[in-house]
């Protein structure tokens, strides 16, 4: 396919914003794929903070990282709402990107899902902490119970962000069946 898939688009945005030495946040580690991707973008001198409330997600993320990658990754088993408590000041000054994969962890307990209140709180905090030119990307899976509500609240919120401060876009395939995921990307303006 010539058009980027939703996941490829999400990665392209992160790649454009995050450079060697920067700080990045994976707000929902899940299987660890994005934590690993971010650890490669920030390189040896950067830092990644990965959050997940489930121990199984933290464990599989840990297992995915090489020893070298682990050196620059801090994994935190806590809600992403608490992000401000964990990011060190010297890293906040370099925070250029954050990613969320919403919904449930495939192959795991489908009742453990991201929720509107905590997703929105985490997003607000991350947008505050983010450096100018930085991005927050959300891959919005919404086919599960409660997914619609989260999607609606999120879209409602991001549409209110002031255009003088943020560029906000939605990337979605609009002819696909079965509630495919889509991306919301938010860039903090310089
Ligand atoms: N739906 C995606 C994967 C989403 S994984 C896909 O199909 O690829 C979402 C992860 O978010 C899960 O591992 C879940 O444990 C985690 N999560 C849920 N609520 C959270 C919270 N408040 N803080 C951090 N992680 C959370």
């Amino acid at each position: 396919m010539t058009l980027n898939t939703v996941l490829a688009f999400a990665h392209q945005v992160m790649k454009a914003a995050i450079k060697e030495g920067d700080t990045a946040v994976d707000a929902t580690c899940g299987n660890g794929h994005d934590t690993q991707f971010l650890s490669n973008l920030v390189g040896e001198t950067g830092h990644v903070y990965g959050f997940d409330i489930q121990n199984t997600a933290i464990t599989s993320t840990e297992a995915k990282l090489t020893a070298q990658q682990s050196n620059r990754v801090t994994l935190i088993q806590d809600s992403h709402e608490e992000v401000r408590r964990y990011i060190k000041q010297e890293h906040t000054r370099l925070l250029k990107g954050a990613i969320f994969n919403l919904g449930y962890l495939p192959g795991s307990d489908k009742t453990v899902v991201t929720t509107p209140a905590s997703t929105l709180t985490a997003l607000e905090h991350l947008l505050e902490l983010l450096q100018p030119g930085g991005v927050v990307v959300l891959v919005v899976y919404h086919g599960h119970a409660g997914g619609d509500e989260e999607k609606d609240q999120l879209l409602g919120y991001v549409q209110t962000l002031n255009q003088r401060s943020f560029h906000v876009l939605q990337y979605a395939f609009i002819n696909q069946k079965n509630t495919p995921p889509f991306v919301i990307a938010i860039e903090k303006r310089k």
Side-chain angles (χ1 to χ4, degrees):
M1 185 158 78
T2 300
L3 298 175
N4 267 336
T5 63
V6 156
L7 287 181
F9 178 76
H11 283 184
Q12 180 199 318
V13 172
M14 301 307 285
K15 198 169 173 201
I18 299 169
K19 303 279 177 274
E20 167 102 31
D22 287 342
T23 302
V25 171
D26 186 350
T28 52
C29 287
N31 58 26
H33 183 65
D34 284 342
T35 306
Q36 188 175 44
F37 177 73
L38 294 174
S39 76
N40 289 334
L41 291 183
V42 303
E44 273 178 35
T45 56
H47 206 84
V48 177
Y49 290 86
F51 290 84
D52 207 293
I53 49 172
Q54 293 190 80
N55 182 257
T56 156
I58 296 292
T59 310
S60 42
T61 301
E62 246 164 11
K64 204 161 243 150
L65 301 174
T66 64
Q68 264 191 335
Q69 289 168 336
S70 292
N71 287 338
R72 51 192 192 250
V73 174
T74 304
L75 294 176
I76 298 148
Q77 191 182 342
D78 196 354
S79 173
H80 40 223
E81 290 159 283
E82 305 297 332
V83 61
R84 292 184 300 188
R85 284 182 42 207
Y86 291 98
I87 306 198
K88 290 186 187 154
Q89 214 175 358
E90 77 245 36
H91 288 145
T92 303
R93 278 190 267 111
L94 299 164
L95 180 62
K96 294 306 282 290
I99 188 159
F100 292 73
N101 282 279
L102 303 183
Y104 60 85
L105 179 60
S108 180
D109 184 350
K110 288 193 184 174
T111 63
V112 182
V113 292
T114 53
T115 57
S118 60
T119 299
L120 286 181
T121 303
L123 177 57
E124 278 181 55
H125 292 334
L126 282 164
L127 290 176
E128 264 171 45
L129 296 173
L130 198 66
Q131 294 304 300
V135 295
V136 177
V137 170
L138 300 108
V139 185
V140 185
Y141 292 82
H142 55 99
H144 57 280
D148 244 5
E149 192 192 342
E150 184 173 37
K151 176 194 74 163
D152 291 344
Q153 289 199 27
L154 189 59
L155 284 173
Y157 169 69
V158 297
Q159 284 172 30
T160 67
L161 290 171
N162 190 319
Q163 66 176 22
R164 280 196 294 269
S165 307
F166 297 100
H167 297 295
V168 183
L169 78 68
Q170 184 175 359
Y171 183 86
F173 288 89
I174 57 178
N175 66 334
Q176 288 179 353
K177 299 207 182 340
N178 301 326
T179 54
F182 63 89
V183 169
I184 295 171
I186 306 166
E187 177 181 348
K188 192 164 188 173
R189 297 182 67 160
K190 292 195 171 128

